[in-house]
Amino acid sequence: MLIQSWNSAAYIVDEIDDARRNLPKALLFGTALVTIIYVLLQVVFLKHASVDQLSGKVEVAFISFKNIFGTEGGNWVSYLIAIQLIATVSGYLWIGSRITFAMAKDHSFWRKIAVKNKNGIPVRALWLQAGISIVLTLTGTFEQVLLYASFLLQLMGTLTVASIFWLKGRKGAFKSPLKPFLQIVFVVFSIWILGYMLMEKPKESAIGLLFVLTGIVTYFFSNRTNKQ
């Protein structure tokens, strides 16, 4: 949930108090904290389980903690991770529905989804997000859903960061430190990851690209409708 929360702060900037001051702090602090936690977790996993045990396995936490606490202890760790994943899914639905709502307002094809109830909750976008999540869960394995969703998120993140080389920043906007060095490093590394996923998991990567193609088609259809 922590990993999901810090970067999602950028998606709800209009709901953050003093966003100009607090958003950069949340992103920078969140990045540093998540990096430290992630590295420490890897140290724990590798200290208590061999590379051969973990190679090609999804349940790396269970394997590592089973070596420490036994099978029963490993199972309890798995239960706690499952509960945490429920919270993460809830967070993604909460954030994702607001992204969908914001996009729907700008495109006539999706405008009927851009509706909030009396409490300011984008209910239609929330139900759409929940429906898509259920369909994805029922039509693929956990690994498949994770892979093509990860490929899509990585691609979108790469394009977003790369856009700074063509778009001019607004006056008074937050200036990233070491620009554009950090952005170039990120884009190059992301392209390497995308290429690796395309070669190793072509089916899942193709499904991710299909979602992108669907978005492109509806985008141009919406623009055409607006002009008419």
Side-chain angles (χ1 to χ4, degrees), residues 89-142:
V89 170
S90 174
Y92 272 117
L93 286 174
W94 185 71
I95 294 294
S97 62
R98 281 156 174 77
I99 297 173
T100 303
F101 171 83
M103 295 174 65
K105 288 195 302 181
D106 295 333
H107 300 284
S108 59
F109 186 78
W110 300 101
R111 198 155 290 159
K112 289 185 178 180
I113 299 174
V115 175
K116 289 185 177 182
N117 64 10
K118 61 181 181 180
N119 297 316
I121 300 173
V123 285
R124 293 185 182 179
L126 186 60
W127 280 111
L128 175 65
Q129 199 82 21
I132 293 173
S133 301
I134 292 171
V135 170
L136 292 178
T137 303
L138 296 177
T139 55
T141 65
F142 174 80

Short mmCIF file of all heavy atoms in Angstrom, two decimals, residues 89-142:
data_model
loop_
_atom_site.label_atom_id
_atom_site.label_comp_id
_atom_site.label_asym_id
_atom_site.label_seq_id
_atom_site.Cartn_x
_atom_site.Cartn_y
_atom_site.Cartn_z
N VAL A 89 -5.60 -2.97 -3.39
CA VAL A 89 -6.66 -2.96 -4.40
C VAL A 89 -7.64 -1.82 -4.13
O VAL A 89 -8.05 -1.09 -5.05
CB VAL A 89 -7.40 -4.31 -4.43
CG1 VAL A 89 -8.64 -4.23 -5.30
CG2 VAL A 89 -6.49 -5.42 -4.94
N SER A 90 -8.01 -1.64 -2.87
CA SER A 90 -8.91 -0.55 -2.50
C SER A 90 -8.31 0.80 -2.87
O SER A 90 -8.99 1.68 -3.41
CB SER A 90 -9.19 -0.61 -0.99
OG SER A 90 -9.94 0.51 -0.57
N GLY A 91 -6.99 0.95 -2.59
CA GLY A 91 -6.33 2.20 -2.92
C GLY A 91 -6.30 2.47 -4.41
O GLY A 91 -6.53 3.60 -4.87
N TYR A 92 -6.04 1.44 -5.19
CA TYR A 92 -6.01 1.60 -6.64
C TYR A 92 -7.39 1.95 -7.19
O TYR A 92 -7.52 2.74 -8.14
CB TYR A 92 -5.50 0.33 -7.31
CG TYR A 92 -4.00 0.29 -7.44
CD1 TYR A 92 -3.24 -0.69 -6.80
CD2 TYR A 92 -3.32 1.23 -8.21
CE1 TYR A 92 -1.86 -0.72 -6.92
CE2 TYR A 92 -1.95 1.21 -8.34
CZ TYR A 92 -1.21 0.23 -7.69
OH TYR A 92 0.14 0.21 -7.80
N LEU A 93 -8.43 1.35 -6.63
CA LEU A 93 -9.78 1.68 -7.07
C LEU A 93 -10.10 3.14 -6.75
O LEU A 93 -10.69 3.85 -7.56
CB LEU A 93 -10.80 0.76 -6.40
CG LEU A 93 -10.88 -0.67 -6.90
CD1 LEU A 93 -11.83 -1.48 -6.03
CD2 LEU A 93 -11.35 -0.72 -8.36
N TRP A 94 -9.69 3.59 -5.57
CA TRP A 94 -9.95 4.96 -5.14
C TRP A 94 -9.21 5.96 -6.04
O TRP A 94 -9.78 6.96 -6.48
CB TRP A 94 -9.51 5.10 -3.68
CG TRP A 94 -9.83 6.44 -3.10
CD1 TRP A 94 -11.05 6.92 -2.77
CD2 TRP A 94 -8.90 7.47 -2.76
NE1 TRP A 94 -10.95 8.20 -2.24
CE2 TRP A 94 -9.63 8.55 -2.22
CE3 TRP A 94 -7.51 7.59 -2.85
CZ2 TRP A 94 -9.03 9.72 -1.80
CZ3 TRP A 94 -6.91 8.76 -2.41
CH2 TRP A 94 -7.67 9.80 -1.89
N ILE A 95 -7.94 5.68 -6.29
CA ILE A 95 -7.14 6.57 -7.13
C ILE A 95 -7.54 6.44 -8.60
O ILE A 95 -7.74 7.44 -9.30
CB ILE A 95 -5.64 6.26 -6.97
CG1 ILE A 95 -5.17 6.60 -5.55
CG2 ILE A 95 -4.82 7.03 -8.00
CD1 ILE A 95 -5.22 8.06 -5.22
N GLY A 96 -7.66 5.19 -9.07
CA GLY A 96 -7.96 4.96 -10.48
C GLY A 96 -9.26 5.57 -10.93
O GLY A 96 -9.37 6.10 -12.05
N SER A 97 -10.28 5.52 -10.07
CA SER A 97 -11.57 6.09 -10.43
C SER A 97 -11.49 7.60 -10.63
O SER A 97 -12.17 8.17 -11.48
CB SER A 97 -12.61 5.76 -9.36
OG SER A 97 -12.26 6.33 -8.11
N ARG A 98 -10.63 8.26 -9.88
CA ARG A 98 -10.47 9.71 -10.02
C ARG A 98 -9.71 10.07 -11.29
O ARG A 98 -9.96 11.10 -11.91
CB ARG A 98 -9.79 10.28 -8.78
CG ARG A 98 -10.77 10.43 -7.63
CD ARG A 98 -10.13 10.43 -6.28
NE ARG A 98 -11.12 10.73 -5.24
CZ ARG A 98 -12.01 9.86 -4.78
NH1 ARG A 98 -12.04 8.61 -5.26
NH2 ARG A 98 -12.88 10.20 -3.84
N ILE A 99 -8.77 9.22 -11.69
CA ILE A 99 -8.08 9.42 -12.96
C ILE A 99 -9.06 9.24 -14.11
O ILE A 99 -9.10 10.04 -15.05
CB ILE A 99 -6.90 8.44 -13.10
CG1 ILE A 99 -5.88 8.69 -12.00
CG2 ILE A 99 -6.25 8.57 -14.47
CD1 ILE A 99 -4.78 7.65 -11.95
N THR A 100 -9.87 8.18 -14.03
CA THR A 100 -10.88 7.93 -15.05
C THR A 100 -11.87 9.07 -15.13
O THR A 100 -12.26 9.50 -16.23
CB THR A 100 -11.62 6.61 -14.75
OG1 THR A 100 -10.68 5.54 -14.67
CG2 THR A 100 -12.63 6.30 -15.85
N PHE A 101 -12.29 9.59 -13.99
CA PHE A 101 -13.23 10.71 -13.95
C PHE A 101 -12.64 11.94 -14.63
O PHE A 101 -13.31 12.59 -15.45
CB PHE A 101 -13.58 11.03 -12.49
CG PHE A 101 -14.37 12.28 -12.32
CD1 PHE A 101 -15.74 12.29 -12.49
CD2 PHE A 101 -13.74 13.48 -11.97
CE1 PHE A 101 -16.48 13.46 -12.34
CE2 PHE A 101 -14.47 14.65 -11.81
CZ PHE A 101 -15.84 14.64 -11.99
N ALA A 102 -11.38 12.25 -14.31
CA ALA A 102 -10.73 13.43 -14.90
C ALA A 102 -10.60 13.30 -16.41
O ALA A 102 -10.80 14.26 -17.16
CB ALA A 102 -9.36 13.63 -14.27
N MET A 103 -10.25 12.10 -16.88
CA MET A 103 -10.12 11.88 -18.32
C MET A 103 -11.48 11.93 -19.01
O MET A 103 -11.60 12.45 -20.13
CB MET A 103 -9.44 10.54 -18.58
CG MET A 103 -8.01 10.46 -18.08
SD MET A 103 -7.29 8.81 -18.24
CE MET A 103 -7.28 8.63 -20.03
N ALA A 104 -12.51 11.37 -18.33
CA ALA A 104 -13.84 11.34 -18.93
C ALA A 104 -14.40 12.74 -19.15
O ALA A 104 -15.15 13.00 -20.09
CB ALA A 104 -14.79 10.52 -18.05
N LYS A 105 -14.05 13.68 -18.27
CA LYS A 105 -14.53 15.05 -18.42
C LYS A 105 -14.03 15.70 -19.71
O LYS A 105 -14.69 16.57 -20.27
CB LYS A 105 -14.08 15.90 -17.22
CG LYS A 105 -14.79 15.60 -15.93
CD LYS A 105 -14.57 16.70 -14.91
CE LYS A 105 -13.10 16.90 -14.62
NZ LYS A 105 -12.86 17.95 -13.60
N ASP A 106 -12.86 15.28 -20.17
CA ASP A 106 -12.24 15.91 -21.34
C ASP A 106 -12.62 15.26 -22.66
O ASP A 106 -12.27 15.79 -23.72
CB ASP A 106 -10.71 15.87 -21.20
CG ASP A 106 -10.22 16.70 -20.02
OD1 ASP A 106 -10.92 17.66 -19.67
OD2 ASP A 106 -9.16 16.37 -19.46
N HIS A 107 -13.31 14.12 -22.62
CA HIS A 107 -13.61 13.40 -23.86
C HIS A 107 -15.09 13.01 -23.90
O HIS A 107 -15.59 12.35 -22.99
CB HIS A 107 -12.73 12.15 -23.97
CG HIS A 107 -11.27 12.46 -23.98
ND1 HIS A 107 -10.62 12.97 -25.09
CD2 HIS A 107 -10.33 12.36 -23.01
CE1 HIS A 107 -9.35 13.15 -24.80
NE2 HIS A 107 -9.14 12.79 -23.56
N SER A 108 -15.76 13.46 -24.95
CA SER A 108 -17.20 13.27 -25.06
C SER A 108 -17.61 11.80 -25.06
O SER A 108 -18.69 11.44 -24.61
CB SER A 108 -17.71 13.94 -26.34
OG SER A 108 -17.05 13.40 -27.48
N PHE A 109 -16.75 10.93 -25.58
CA PHE A 109 -17.08 9.51 -25.67
C PHE A 109 -17.30 8.90 -24.28
O PHE A 109 -18.09 7.97 -24.11
CB PHE A 109 -15.96 8.75 -26.40
CG PHE A 109 -16.27 7.31 -26.66
CD1 PHE A 109 -17.11 6.94 -27.69
CD2 PHE A 109 -15.70 6.31 -25.86
CE1 PHE A 109 -17.40 5.60 -27.93
CE2 PHE A 109 -15.97 4.97 -26.10
CZ PHE A 109 -16.81 4.62 -27.13
N TRP A 110 -16.60 9.46 -23.26
CA TRP A 110 -16.68 8.92 -21.91
C TRP A 110 -17.37 9.86 -20.93
O TRP A 110 -17.39 9.61 -19.74
CB TRP A 110 -15.27 8.63 -21.38
CG TRP A 110 -14.50 7.65 -22.20
CD1 TRP A 110 -13.54 7.92 -23.11
CD2 TRP A 110 -14.64 6.22 -22.18
NE1 TRP A 110 -13.07 6.76 -23.67
CE2 TRP A 110 -13.72 5.70 -23.12
CE3 TRP A 110 -15.45 5.34 -21.45
CZ2 TRP A 110 -13.59 4.33 -23.35
CZ3 TRP A 110 -15.33 3.98 -21.67
CH2 TRP A 110 -14.41 3.49 -22.62
N ARG A 111 -17.97 10.94 -21.44
CA ARG A 111 -18.44 12.00 -20.55
C ARG A 111 -19.52 11.55 -19.56
O ARG A 111 -19.63 12.08 -18.46
CB ARG A 111 -18.93 13.18 -21.37
CG ARG A 111 -19.04 14.49 -20.59
CD ARG A 111 -18.93 15.67 -21.51
NE ARG A 111 -17.58 15.81 -22.06
CZ ARG A 111 -17.30 16.49 -23.17
NH1 ARG A 111 -18.26 17.08 -23.85
NH2 ARG A 111 -16.05 16.58 -23.60
N LYS A 112 -20.30 10.55 -19.93
CA LYS A 112 -21.35 10.08 -19.03
C LYS A 112 -20.79 9.41 -17.78
O LYS A 112 -21.50 9.23 -16.79
CB LYS A 112 -22.26 9.10 -19.77
CG LYS A 112 -23.15 9.76 -20.82
CD LYS A 112 -24.12 8.78 -21.44
CE LYS A 112 -25.03 9.48 -22.45
NZ LYS A 112 -25.99 8.54 -23.07
N ILE A 113 -19.52 9.07 -17.83
CA ILE A 113 -18.88 8.47 -16.66
C ILE A 113 -18.45 9.54 -15.67
O ILE A 113 -18.30 9.27 -14.47
CB ILE A 113 -17.66 7.62 -17.10
CG1 ILE A 113 -18.12 6.51 -18.03
CG2 ILE A 113 -16.93 7.03 -15.90
CD1 ILE A 113 -16.99 5.73 -18.63
N ALA A 114 -18.28 10.77 -16.15
CA ALA A 114 -17.79 11.87 -15.31
C ALA A 114 -18.91 12.43 -14.45
O ALA A 114 -19.35 13.57 -14.62
CB ALA A 114 -17.17 12.97 -16.18
N VAL A 115 -19.38 11.63 -13.52
CA VAL A 115 -20.48 12.02 -12.63
C VAL A 115 -20.07 11.75 -11.19
O VAL A 115 -19.56 10.67 -10.87
CB VAL A 115 -21.77 11.23 -12.96
CG1 VAL A 115 -22.87 11.57 -11.96
CG2 VAL A 115 -22.22 11.54 -14.38
N LYS A 116 -20.30 12.73 -10.32
CA LYS A 116 -20.04 12.56 -8.89
C LYS A 116 -21.36 12.57 -8.12
O LYS A 116 -22.33 13.22 -8.53
CB LYS A 116 -19.14 13.68 -8.36
CG LYS A 116 -17.70 13.60 -8.84
CD LYS A 116 -16.85 14.67 -8.16
CE LYS A 116 -15.39 14.56 -8.57
NZ LYS A 116 -14.55 15.59 -7.88
N ASN A 117 -21.39 11.86 -7.01
CA ASN A 117 -22.58 11.90 -6.17
C ASN A 117 -22.52 13.11 -5.24
O ASN A 117 -21.60 13.93 -5.32
CB ASN A 117 -22.74 10.60 -5.38
CG ASN A 117 -21.61 10.37 -4.38
OD1 ASN A 117 -20.78 11.24 -4.14
ND2 ASN A 117 -21.58 9.17 -3.80
N LYS A 118 -23.45 13.21 -4.32
CA LYS A 118 -23.52 14.40 -3.47
C LYS A 118 -22.32 14.53 -2.53
O LYS A 118 -22.05 15.61 -1.99
CB LYS A 118 -24.81 14.38 -2.65
CG LYS A 118 -24.93 13.18 -1.72
CD LYS A 118 -26.25 13.22 -0.97
CE LYS A 118 -26.37 12.02 -0.02
NZ LYS A 118 -27.65 12.04 0.73
N ASN A 119 -21.61 13.42 -2.33
CA ASN A 119 -20.42 13.45 -1.47
C ASN A 119 -19.12 13.68 -2.25
O ASN A 119 -18.03 13.60 -1.68
CB ASN A 119 -20.32 12.13 -0.70
CG ASN A 119 -21.48 11.91 0.24
OD1 ASN A 119 -21.90 12.84 0.95
ND2 ASN A 119 -22.03 10.71 0.25
N GLY A 120 -19.27 13.95 -3.54
CA GLY A 120 -18.09 14.22 -4.36
C GLY A 120 -17.34 12.98 -4.80
O GLY A 120 -16.18 13.07 -5.22
N ILE A 121 -17.98 11.82 -4.74
CA ILE A 121 -17.33 10.57 -5.14
C ILE A 121 -17.71 10.24 -6.58
O ILE A 121 -18.90 10.22 -6.93
CB ILE A 121 -17.77 9.41 -4.22
CG1 ILE A 121 -17.38 9.71 -2.77
CG2 ILE A 121 -17.16 8.09 -4.68
CD1 ILE A 121 -17.92 8.72 -1.77
N PRO A 122 -16.73 9.98 -7.46
CA PRO A 122 -17.02 9.64 -8.86
C PRO A 122 -17.55 8.21 -8.98
O PRO A 122 -16.83 7.28 -9.34
CB PRO A 122 -15.67 9.81 -9.55
CG PRO A 122 -14.67 9.52 -8.48
CD PRO A 122 -15.28 10.03 -7.20
N VAL A 123 -18.82 8.03 -8.67
CA VAL A 123 -19.40 6.69 -8.51
C VAL A 123 -19.35 5.86 -9.80
O VAL A 123 -19.04 4.67 -9.76
CB VAL A 123 -20.85 6.78 -7.99
CG1 VAL A 123 -20.88 7.13 -6.53
CG2 VAL A 123 -21.66 7.81 -8.80
N ARG A 124 -19.66 6.48 -10.94
CA ARG A 124 -19.67 5.71 -12.18
C ARG A 124 -18.27 5.26 -12.57
O ARG A 124 -18.06 4.12 -13.01
CB ARG A 124 -20.30 6.55 -13.31
CG ARG A 124 -21.79 6.82 -13.10
CD ARG A 124 -22.40 7.55 -14.29
NE ARG A 124 -23.80 7.86 -14.06
CZ ARG A 124 -24.58 8.51 -14.92
NH1 ARG A 124 -24.08 8.91 -16.09
NH2 ARG A 124 -25.84 8.74 -14.64
N ALA A 125 -17.32 6.16 -12.40
CA ALA A 125 -15.93 5.79 -12.68
C ALA A 125 -15.45 4.70 -11.72
O ALA A 125 -14.70 3.80 -12.10
CB ALA A 125 -15.04 7.01 -12.57
N LEU A 126 -15.92 4.78 -10.47
CA LEU A 126 -15.54 3.78 -9.47
C LEU A 126 -16.09 2.40 -9.83
O LEU A 126 -15.37 1.39 -9.75
CB LEU A 126 -16.07 4.22 -8.10
CG LEU A 126 -15.66 3.37 -6.89
CD1 LEU A 126 -14.14 3.35 -6.75
CD2 LEU A 126 -16.31 3.89 -5.63
N TRP A 127 -17.35 2.35 -10.26
CA TRP A 127 -17.94 1.07 -10.66
C TRP A 127 -17.30 0.53 -11.93
O TRP A 127 -17.10 -0.69 -12.07
CB TRP A 127 -19.45 1.22 -10.86
CG TRP A 127 -20.23 1.21 -9.58
CD1 TRP A 127 -20.89 2.25 -9.01
CD2 TRP A 127 -20.39 0.09 -8.70
NE1 TRP A 127 -21.47 1.86 -7.82
CE2 TRP A 127 -21.18 0.54 -7.61
CE3 TRP A 127 -19.95 -1.23 -8.73
CZ2 TRP A 127 -21.54 -0.30 -6.56
CZ3 TRP A 127 -20.30 -2.07 -7.67
CH2 TRP A 127 -21.08 -1.61 -6.61
N LEU A 128 -16.96 1.42 -12.85
CA LEU A 128 -16.27 0.99 -14.07
C LEU A 128 -14.91 0.39 -13.71
O LEU A 128 -14.53 -0.67 -14.23
CB LEU A 128 -16.08 2.17 -15.02
CG LEU A 128 -15.26 1.88 -16.29
CD1 LEU A 128 -15.98 0.87 -17.17
CD2 LEU A 128 -14.99 3.17 -17.06
N GLN A 129 -14.19 1.05 -12.83
CA GLN A 129 -12.88 0.57 -12.40
C GLN A 129 -13.00 -0.79 -11.72
O GLN A 129 -12.20 -1.70 -11.96
CB GLN A 129 -12.26 1.58 -11.44
CG GLN A 129 -10.75 1.46 -11.27
CD GLN A 129 -10.00 2.15 -12.38
OE1 GLN A 129 -10.55 3.01 -13.05
NE2 GLN A 129 -8.76 1.74 -12.59
N ALA A 130 -14.00 -0.94 -10.87
CA ALA A 130 -14.22 -2.21 -10.17
C ALA A 130 -14.58 -3.32 -11.16
O ALA A 130 -14.09 -4.44 -11.05
CB ALA A 130 -15.34 -2.05 -9.14
N GLY A 131 -15.42 -2.99 -12.15
CA GLY A 131 -15.81 -3.97 -13.16
C GLY A 131 -14.62 -4.46 -13.97
O GLY A 131 -14.47 -5.66 -14.22
N ILE A 132 -13.78 -3.53 -14.39
CA ILE A 132 -12.58 -3.89 -15.16
C ILE A 132 -11.66 -4.77 -14.32
O ILE A 132 -11.11 -5.77 -14.81
CB ILE A 132 -11.83 -2.63 -15.64
CG1 ILE A 132 -12.67 -1.87 -16.66
CG2 ILE A 132 -10.47 -2.99 -16.23
CD1 ILE A 132 -12.08 -0.54 -17.06
N SER A 133 -11.52 -4.44 -13.05
CA SER A 133 -10.66 -5.21 -12.15
C SER A 133 -11.17 -6.65 -12.01
O SER A 133 -10.39 -7.60 -12.01
CB SER A 133 -10.58 -4.54 -10.78
OG SER A 133 -10.06 -3.24 -10.88
N ILE A 134 -12.49 -6.78 -11.88
CA ILE A 134 -13.08 -8.12 -11.74
C ILE A 134 -12.86 -8.95 -13.00
O ILE A 134 -12.49 -10.13 -12.95
CB ILE A 134 -14.58 -8.01 -11.41
CG1 ILE A 134 -14.76 -7.41 -10.01
CG2 ILE A 134 -15.26 -9.37 -11.51
CD1 ILE A 134 -16.20 -7.06 -9.68
N VAL A 135 -13.05 -8.31 -14.16
CA VAL A 135 -12.84 -9.02 -15.43
C VAL A 135 -11.40 -9.48 -15.57
O VAL A 135 -11.12 -10.62 -15.96
CB VAL A 135 -13.23 -8.12 -16.63
CG1 VAL A 135 -12.80 -8.75 -17.95
CG2 VAL A 135 -14.73 -7.88 -16.64
N LEU A 136 -10.46 -8.60 -15.25
CA LEU A 136 -9.04 -8.97 -15.33
C LEU A 136 -8.71 -10.12 -14.40
O LEU A 136 -7.96 -11.03 -14.75
CB LEU A 136 -8.17 -7.75 -14.99
CG LEU A 136 -8.19 -6.59 -15.98
CD1 LEU A 136 -7.31 -5.45 -15.47
CD2 LEU A 136 -7.72 -7.03 -17.35
N THR A 137 -9.29 -10.08 -13.19
CA THR A 137 -9.03 -11.14 -12.21
C THR A 137 -9.55 -12.49 -12.69
O THR A 137 -8.91 -13.54 -12.47
CB THR A 137 -9.68 -10.79 -10.86
OG1 THR A 137 -9.19 -9.52 -10.41
CG2 THR A 137 -9.37 -11.84 -9.81
N LEU A 138 -10.69 -12.50 -13.36
CA LEU A 138 -11.33 -13.75 -13.78
C LEU A 138 -10.80 -14.29 -15.10
O LEU A 138 -11.07 -15.44 -15.45
CB LEU A 138 -12.85 -13.55 -13.88
CG LEU A 138 -13.57 -13.21 -12.58
CD1 LEU A 138 -15.05 -12.97 -12.84
CD2 LEU A 138 -13.40 -14.32 -11.55
N THR A 139 -10.05 -13.49 -15.84
CA THR A 139 -9.61 -13.92 -17.18
C THR A 139 -8.11 -14.18 -17.28
O THR A 139 -7.61 -14.39 -18.38
CB THR A 139 -10.01 -12.87 -18.23
OG1 THR A 139 -9.47 -11.59 -17.85
CG2 THR A 139 -11.52 -12.77 -18.36
N GLY A 140 -7.41 -14.17 -16.18
CA GLY A 140 -5.98 -14.44 -16.24
C GLY A 140 -5.43 -14.83 -14.89
O GLY A 140 -6.07 -14.60 -13.85
N THR A 141 -4.26 -15.42 -14.87
CA THR A 141 -3.61 -15.75 -13.61
C THR A 141 -3.07 -14.49 -12.97
O THR A 141 -2.96 -13.43 -13.62
CB THR A 141 -2.46 -16.74 -13.85
OG1 THR A 141 -1.44 -16.09 -14.64
CG2 THR A 141 -2.94 -17.99 -14.57
N PHE A 142 -2.70 -14.60 -11.71
CA PHE A 142 -2.14 -13.45 -11.00
C PHE A 142 -0.90 -12.93 -11.73
O PHE A 142 -0.72 -11.73 -11.90
CB PHE A 142 -1.77 -13.86 -9.57
CG PHE A 142 -1.06 -12.78 -8.81
CD1 PHE A 142 -1.76 -11.73 -8.23
CD2 PHE A 142 0.33 -12.81 -8.67
CE1 PHE A 142 -1.10 -10.73 -7.53
CE2 PHE A 142 0.99 -11.81 -7.97
CZ PHE A 142 0.28 -10.78 -7.40
#
